[in-house]
Structures are given as structure tokens and as C-alpha cells.
Amino acid sequence: MLNYILRRLLLIPVTLFGIMVLNFAIIQFAPGGPVEQVIAQLQGTAVSSTARITNQGGDSGGGSASGAPSASGNNFSSTSNYRGAQGLDPEVIKQLEVQFGFDKPAHERFWMMMKNYLTFDFGQSYFQDRDVVDLVLDKMPVSISLGIWSTLIIYIISIPLGITKAVRDGSNFDIWSSAAIIVGFAIPGFLFAVMLIVLFAGGAYLDWFPLRGLTSSNWEQLSLWGKIVDYFWHLTLPIIALTISGFATLTMLTKNSFLDEINKQYVVTARAKGLTEKRVLYGHVFRNAMLLIIAGFPSALVGMLFTGSVLIEVIFSLDGLGLLGFNAVMTRDYPVMFATLYFFTLFGLIMNLISDLSYHFVDPRIDFEGRGN
């Protein structure tokens, strides 16, 4: 097992490097980079945009900026002709290129970026005048709250429900619960979120739950119990919207896993020995049937943390990692884009390794050494 772990750890930097190369190459062909974003602002609101450019790079001659990366920072794409730049002084365009670091060749920018990322130096956001690490840490509580609680609730409800459906396979309970699960799965999470807002957040009927933020404005003045209640009060609707469509897959996977194990010979033998149905189910079937489900928890958590909550964060005005990444793509804030991609990919690869190892911990008979990879 130790050799398998070492091989997987050695594959992580190779995989991470390949993903970064691919995404970096794609970005080179994407229109509307940060220079074009600033040009558009200059054309529309010259005074405020010029002031921001001065604040970013004026004190350092355009080489290093408080809201842009330094000359050794994150530099991603470059073009020689910018759409919408007609009528602007070429020196202004040149200053923007130097300010954002786009005056260097693509391969030089990439290696500089990866060298900094090895030491977890992610630079600064182009447009938010803050370190990328600080931005990520600020958004982390929202994403962790949504991801952990929604994943736990899905597992807590889906596993007992799937076991009950397996034991009562073909009964009226199995049929009606399957119908309800399918209906819930068919409703997109964002649409269900809108319905919850209309019904319970002051949309048209009741005004029971807040519609913005993770906590109330008077959070600091609340008692410990008041903070706990306020925290879950804000999370109730977003978590319900996130989990409503997540029950189907896990519930049916649990049911099918138990049905597959229940029909095996060792279960028939255990029953023939006079063991109670409860002892057979939870003493013999449970560990084998839950192997895929428990081992898949890390991957499910990663998906819920980083990819499953973007629209929910937008709808409920929760400023988390999903919304941060989405806004970075829309504004071409490349330091935030690539830093979050790097972090999410690295975290995902580590969690995939943990997921594989959990197979062995759940069932020691599984030995990855015999796979030869």
C-alpha cells in the first residue's frame, strides 16, 4: 500500500502540470483579456478608470501594481491589437501591457506563474486590489458551510432511505419514494432555490428566512447560541436547494448496492444459520454494500464544495468560492482564475487519493498493490 501511495503522490504534480498547461493554452485564444477590460472602461468612463490605473501602477512606473501582478507575478495572455482601442494613445496601451505583465512571451509567463505557484505565491487580483490568497480565505467559510452541511445531510438521509428501499423492494413505499426522488432530481437546484425564495424568503408569500449573506449584520453582538441559530437560519434555504436534487443518485446507489449483496450466497448462509434479519443486514451486508458509498464521500464533498453551488451562491447572494471563480472568468481576472484552478485541482487530486485509500480502510481485503499502477 505504501508503494501505491507513493506512486499516486508522484502522479499528482504531473497531472496538475498537465491541467495547468491545457488551461493556459486555451486562455491564450480567449478574447477579452484584462487589458481589453480596462480599455472598455477607459472608453466608457475615462476619469474613474484612469484613476484606477494610476492607483494600480503609477507609483511604480507601470511595472508592479497593487491591483495587478508584479513583473514576476501571474501573466497570462497577450495580444498586439485590442478591439475597441482605437483613439487611445499607444503609450497607454503599452503601459497597460507592462502593468499587467503581458509584454513577455507566453512560455516565460507560464514558467514564471508555475514557479510562483510551487511556493503558493498566487499574486494579486487584477481588479480587486487584494492578494488572491486573501480572497480565497475570505470566501472559504461560505463554500465550506454549503459543501459540508449539504453533503452530510444528503448522506444522512439517503443511506437509511436506500437501505429501507432495498429491504422493502417492490412495496408501495419503494414505489412512491422512487417517484418522489425522481421528481426532486428532475427539478434543477437553482429553480428550486427560486421557488423557496418565492415561498419563504419574502418573494410573494412568507418572509421567514433571510435572502443575503451567511450571518446577520448584528452577528458580533449575538450570544453563542444566537450565533448558531443565526448561522443555520441563513443556511437553511441554500442547503435545501443544494440537497434536493442530490438524494436521487446516492439513494438509488445505496439501494442497488444492498440488493446486490442481499442476493449473494453468504447472506443465504447467514440466514440459514438462524441469524436475525437485523444481524444479517448490519453485521454482514452493510460493510460490503457501503464500500462504494463511503469511499465516494471525498469526491462528493469536492464536487459540492467547488462546482455545485455557483448558482445557489448567486441566487442567495452568498459570496463563496463558486461565485469568486465565476466572476473571475467574467472579468478575465486571470490571477484569480488560475490560482483557484490550481488550488481546486490540487485539492481534488489529494481527495481522490484519500477516496482510493478509504476503499482499503473500509474493506482491508482490497489491495491496490495488485493492480500494478
Side-chain angles (χ1 to χ4, degrees):
M1 180 57 69
L2 180 60
N3 290 334
Y4 174 77
I5 295 175
L6 291 176
R7 289 197 300 268
R8 287 295 301 271
L9 289 176
L10 290 175
L11 282 174
I12 286 178
V14 177
T15 306
L16 181 60
F17 181 80
I19 292 174
M20 295 301 295
V21 168
L22 178 61
N23 284 274
F24 182 89
I26 293 174
I27 287 297
Q28 305 311 303
F29 301 99
V35 175
E36 291 180 328
Q37 296 282 332
V38 176
I39 289 174
Q41 294 175 5
L42 285 170
Q43 296 284 14
T45 54
V47 175
S48 60
S49 298
T50 303
R52 184 173 68 178
I53 294 171
T54 301
N55 290 334
Q56 287 181 343
D59 295 337
S60 58
S64 177
S66 60
S70 64
S72 62
N74 307 313
N75 307 312
F76 304 103
S77 68
S78 176
T79 58
S80 57
N81 296 311
Y82 298 99
R83 296 179 60 184
Q86 292 81 0
L88 291 179
D89 189 343
E91 288 299 323
V92 174
I93 304 301
K94 182 63 177 178
Q95 179 186 356
L96 290 175
E97 290 180 341
V98 174
Q99 173 184 319
F100 288 111
F102 296 161
D103 54 329
K104 298 179 176 64
H107 67 278
E108 183 178 341
R109 297 193 304 272
F110 177 76
W111 287 113
M112 199 176 299
M113 177 186 74
M114 294 305 298
K115 179 182 178 181
N116 291 333
Y117 282 10
L118 288 176
T119 59
F120 292 94
D121 178 12
F122 298 114
Q124 289 185 309
S125 168
Y126 283 165
F127 303 116
Q128 299 191 49
D129 195 23
R130 295 185 62 191
D131 288 340
V132 174
V133 173
D134 292 338
L135 284 173
V136 172
L137 292 178
D138 282 350
K139 316 301 182 185
M140 193 72 77
V142 171
S143 295
I144 290 178
S145 296
L146 292 176
I148 289 180
W149 289 117
S150 57
T151 303
L152 286 176
I153 291 174
I154 289 174
Y155 268 75
I156 289 172
I157 295 178
S158 295
I159 291 176
L161 180 59
I163 295 174
T164 305
K165 287 173 64 62
V167 173
R168 303 173 62 178
D169 183 43
S171 65
N172 289 333
F173 171 81
D174 181 39
I175 295 173
W176 285 108
S177 61
S178 295
I181 290 172
I182 292 173
V183 171
F185 183 73
I187 301 176
F190 70 90
L191 185 60
F192 196 79
V194 173
M195 183 178 70
L196 290 175
I197 291 174
V198 172
L199 293 177
F200 302 111
Y205 297 94
L206 304 174
D207 191 9
W208 289 353
F209 296 95
L211 191 56
R212 181 179 297 274
L214 192 62
T215 58
S216 299
S217 57
N218 62 337
W219 166 263
E220 297 297 334
Q221 286 73 43
L222 297 175
S223 63
L224 177 60
W225 176 248
K227 290 180 178 180
I228 295 174
V229 172
D230 183 75
Y231 171 73
F232 285 104
W233 183 46
H234 283 76
L235 279 178
T236 299
L237 294 187
I239 289 178
I240 291 176
L242 269 176
T243 56
I244 193 65
S245 60
F247 292 120
T249 302
L250 186 59
T251 300
M252 299 311 296
L253 178 62
T254 304
K255 175 188 175 182
N256 292 334
S257 296
F258 269 79
L259 283 177
D260 184 58
E261 294 294 326
I262 287 173
N263 294 325
K264 290 184 177 180
Q265 185 62 41
Y266 75 89
V267 177
V268 177
T269 303
R271 287 171 175 167
K273 290 181 178 180
L275 297 180
T276 63
E277 192 66 22
K278 184 177 181 180
R279 177 71 180 275
V280 172
L281 187 63
Y282 293 101
H284 295 272
V285 175
F286 186 83
R287 187 180 69 174
N288 296 327
M290 292 301 295
L291 179 61
L292 291 174
I293 299 165
I294 295 176
F297 181 83
S299 298
L301 179 60
V302 170
M304 195 65 73
L305 277 173
F306 301 135
T307 62
S309 60
V310 178
L311 289 176
I312 300 300
E313 290 179 12
V314 173
I315 293 173
F316 288 99
S317 299
L318 296 171
D319 196 6
L321 292 176
L323 186 58
L324 174 66
F326 175 78
N327 288 334
V329 172
M330 297 303 295
T331 60
R332 303 300 193 268
D333 197 344
Y334 292 153
V336 177
M337 285 175 54
F338 280 93
T340 52
L341 174 65
Y342 181 89
F343 174 75
F344 294 165
T345 304
L346 179 61
F347 184 76
L349 292 172
I350 294 174
M351 292 300 288
N352 282 334
L353 174 59
I354 295 175
S355 179
D356 285 348
L357 295 179
S358 62
Y359 280 97
H360 179 74
F361 294 135
V362 173
D363 190 347
R365 295 173 298 175
I366 297 178
D367 184 12
F368 289 102
E369 293 293 340
R371 297 172 57 188
N373 53 32

